[in-house]
Amino acid sequence: MFRLSMRSKNPSAKKKFLLVAEDDETLGAVVCEALRDAGYKTHWVKDGIEALNYVLESRPDGIVLDLILPRLTGFEICGMVRKSRSVQWTPIIVMSGRAEHCDKMQAFELGADDYVIKPFRTEELVVRIDAVLHRNTERSYPTPFMASYNA
């Protein structure tokens, strides 16, 4: 894994707060550092129940989610978040060493917005998070059709 410090091209990144759910000490620290370098605020948890509780209580702008966590898996968290009215639209970016097609399909079927396979370059993760959050922001504030049409 290669770490490159870079500022996010997403101008609103500084206003975004991300939950990082990763039980590996080294990777969790690297991901949080890369996201902070890109202008995001982060909170890191190492356990599935902590992750779900934090999402429900703090409503982060996005979730960076490992699939293999103690006590609750990322699959379970993803499904529960999508079923909760208060946080169901929270973007979820999965980062996992599980590279099998069936694992990716299950994550997407449960509502993941993106899937990054470990090992990955942190700059790719940051750019993917920027893209998912940008698309989500646009979806949150739809422009009426006639207002967007330049006649």
Side-chain angles (χ1 to χ4, degrees):
M1 182 170 29
F2 176 79
R3 194 175 84 56
L4 173 69
S5 177
M6 60 185 263
R7 300 305 289 171
S8 173
K9 294 188 193 282
N10 180 354
S12 63
K14 289 182 181 175
K15 299 175 187 170
K16 300 292 183 182
F17 193 77
L18 303 176
L19 172 67
V20 176
E22 170 59 59
D23 63 331
D24 180 89
E25 291 278 334
T26 303
L27 183 57
V30 167
V31 167
C32 285
E33 183 179 347
L35 291 171
R36 283 191 300 269
D37 286 350
Y40 291 100
K41 296 176 184 174
T42 63
H43 180 78
W44 174 23
V45 297
K46 302 169 191 161
D47 172 283
I49 291 179
E50 288 178 55
L52 185 61
N53 286 338
Y54 189 83
V55 169
L56 294 173
E57 291 169 8
S58 301
R59 299 182 184 183
D61 296 303
I63 305 165
V64 182
L65 181 65
D66 186 15
L67 291 178
I68 308 302
L69 293 169
R71 301 199 300 164
L72 271 181
T73 69
F75 291 121
E76 293 168 316
I77 293 166
C78 193
M80 290 178 195
V81 166
R82 292 299 179 241
K83 289 177 183 172
S84 172
R85 284 181 168 221
S86 63
V87 293
Q88 69 183 358
W89 298 112
T90 306
I92 300 172
I93 298 89
V94 170
M95 57 177 185
S96 179
R98 297 180 72 156
E100 296 295 322
H101 178 72
C102 62
D103 294 320
K104 291 187 275 185
M105 292 303 296
Q106 183 178 1
F108 284 122
E109 287 170 358
L110 288 168
D113 295 287
D114 202 350
Y115 196 108
V116 181
I117 298 170
K118 297 176 189 176
F120 52 81
R121 293 179 181 254
T122 55
E123 66 267 20
E124 178 183 353
L125 179 65
V126 169
V127 169
R128 286 174 173 253
I129 290 168
D130 286 347
V132 168
L133 293 178
H134 177 74
R135 284 191 304 270
N136 186 274
T137 299
E138 288 181 352
R139 183 173 61 215
S140 298
Y141 305 102
T143 303
F145 175 73
M146 291 308 290
S148 66
Y149 181 72
N150 294 327

